[in-house]
Amino acid sequence: GGKRYWDVPLQGEFSNVHKGEEKKLGVESLNGFKDLADTVVYDAAKLKFERMVGGERCYKYMTHDEIKERKQSNYAADMPFVKTDDNGNVCVPMSCSDLGKQCGEWNDGCGKTIICGMCDVGRTGLPSTWRVQCVEGQCVDYCPPWNEKGYWFLSDDSPSIVRETIQEQSEHQQKYLSPVDAVKICEVACANTWNEEKSPPGIESFINTGLCKCGTTPSILKANLTLQDFSSAHALNAMCRETKARKEAVLLEDDTQPICCPYIPREPDLPIGWKRLYAMGGDNFEGEYFEHIRMECGGFKECESAARQKQAEMAVFDLSHSMCYLARNVVKFEDIFTVTKDNGSRVFIDLRNGATS
């Protein structure tokens, strides 16, 4: 029934050297919960460490030059984990920055996968009604209703007003709209609603289908923001609060702008059954996550519905990334592991027998 068994690990190797008033925890504190990955990961890490350190190298890692020299010597058989080319040169894995990636999973150039993370909606000044998705390793700010109609990513079928707006920009290789492009389109649509004869072809669809909200002229149009400014805000090494897109990509409630997703506050009133994922003093649940679903404009209701449909025991909704994570084999740790796993925007619902519907 989902239980896993293996030899008891040597807990002495992980003993807590920081004395305190907390009671010492051992294997018995897990209440029978076991995770096969613990033993596998530890054994692999220990083996790799021993191979890199060697018998006479006390806690000192080898440099790439030392690894290369050893790989080309008689000791090559001791280092099967080191990748080399046909000339015996040691392969140096590339980082996400080396690859120019902001998100997703990619080959590091040495046959292994490097994880570059997920896109966060909070890195620009745009309202929380906007979304961000990973496109070819780059984080792209976009408006889901526009994307559903095929307007956000450019193609031969894109409306003429979309193509004309893009052609006015200096970035001729654009494959998709920037938030400023979309605001400009809405400005044109709102300004021409009173005169259909002079309106650009197809512009009325942006008003009639509810893609644009008409209001005051937004300051974002005067900020001279480029697509690169938005991309830079998502760079892994960027201080997002200092980027131009964070400071100047501002859309107020009464501004003319694209109609994207419903507004969800960072600390919303939670529906019945939903709670904050473990923060200090709160519920502490964990399980085996088997699927994640991008919610686009969906929220708590859609995440819970997907979880029930797939017979998950727990659903976790991450507001920052618009992601719904589904888990099974859920356990409650009570107060055993007092380490927060909360990023400030994750909430969960327990869907096991007896849980609130």
Side-chain angles (χ1 to χ4, degrees), residues 29-270:
S29 301
L30 295 174
N31 293 328
F33 178 80
K34 299 179 179 182
D35 190 342
L36 182 60
D38 289 344
T39 303
V40 175
V41 172
Y42 172 74
D43 288 343
K46 185 176 181 180
L47 177 61
K48 183 175 181 179
F49 178 79
E50 290 175 345
R51 285 175 170 173
M52 294 185 69
V53 171
E56 298 179 0
R57 298 180 61 83
C58 184
Y59 302 103
K60 179 181 179 182
Y61 283 102
M62 300 171 69
T63 66
H64 280 109
D65 289 339
E66 290 173 321
I67 292 175
K68 180 178 179 181
E69 180 180 354
R70 188 177 182 89
K71 184 67 176 178
Q72 295 173 339
S73 69
N74 296 329
Y75 295 97
D78 296 333
M79 308 179 71
F81 55 90
V82 177
K83 299 284 186 179
T84 58
D85 59 22
D86 294 337
N87 297 320
N89 297 316
V90 176
C91 179
V92 179
M94 291 185 287
S95 66
C96 294
S97 297
D98 294 334
L99 294 169
K101 305 298 185 182
Q102 299 175 337
C103 54
E105 300 181 4
W106 305 92
N107 190 312
D108 67 357
C110 295
K112 294 185 179 180
T113 299
I114 183 172
I115 300 175
C116 298
M118 300 173 61
C119 299
D120 194 331
V121 296
R123 296 188 68 87
T124 70
L126 296 170
S128 63
T129 54
W130 289 69
R131 296 291 182 264
V132 187
Q133 65 173 297
C134 187
V135 180
E136 298 178 355
Q138 303 300 307
C139 293
V140 176
D141 298 275
Y142 75 108
C143 194
W146 288 49
N147 190 38
E148 290 175 4
K149 291 184 175 294
Y151 292 170
W152 201 263
F153 292 88
L154 306 182
S155 70
D156 294 338
D157 297 327
S158 297
S160 59
I161 183 61
V162 173
R163 295 195 299 271
E164 291 170 6
T165 301
I166 292 299
Q167 289 173 359
E168 295 176 359
Q169 312 303 314
S170 59
E171 301 168 271
H172 298 295
Q173 301 302 316
Q174 279 187 231
K175 297 180 180 179
Y176 48 85
L177 296 175
S178 76
V180 176
D181 294 332
V183 173
K184 287 182 178 180
I185 291 172
C186 286
E187 272 282 286
V188 174
C190 292
N192 286 277
T193 51
W194 59 273
N195 191 342
E196 295 184 1
E197 294 182 359
K198 295 184 178 181
S199 298
I203 193 66
E204 68 280 355
S205 66
F206 288 87
I207 301 297
N208 297 339
T209 58
L211 293 177
C212 289
K213 170 187 174 182
C214 298
T216 57
T217 300
S219 61
I220 192 174
L221 294 179
K222 302 177 181 179
N224 195 30
L225 287 163
T226 67
L227 197 61
Q228 183 58 46
D229 290 323
F230 286 95
S231 178
S232 298
H234 293 286
L236 298 178
N237 58 352
M239 296 292 292
C240 64
R241 294 186 179 182
E242 302 301 321
T243 64
K244 187 175 181 180
R246 179 64 177 267
K247 293 180 178 179
E248 301 182 25
V250 178
L251 286 171
L252 303 179
E253 184 177 356
D254 295 330
D255 286 345
T256 294
Q257 59 190 287
I259 297 176
C260 298
C261 299
Y263 174 71
I264 299 180
R266 187 168 180 81
E267 296 185 4
D269 294 330
L270 300 181

Side-chain angles (χ1 to χ4, degrees), residues 1-7 32-38 288 329:
K3 295 184 179 179
R4 296 168 175 167
Y5 299 93
W6 64 93
D7 293 337
F33 178 80
K34 299 179 179 182
D35 190 342
L36 182 60
D38 289 344
E288 296 178 2
N329 296 331

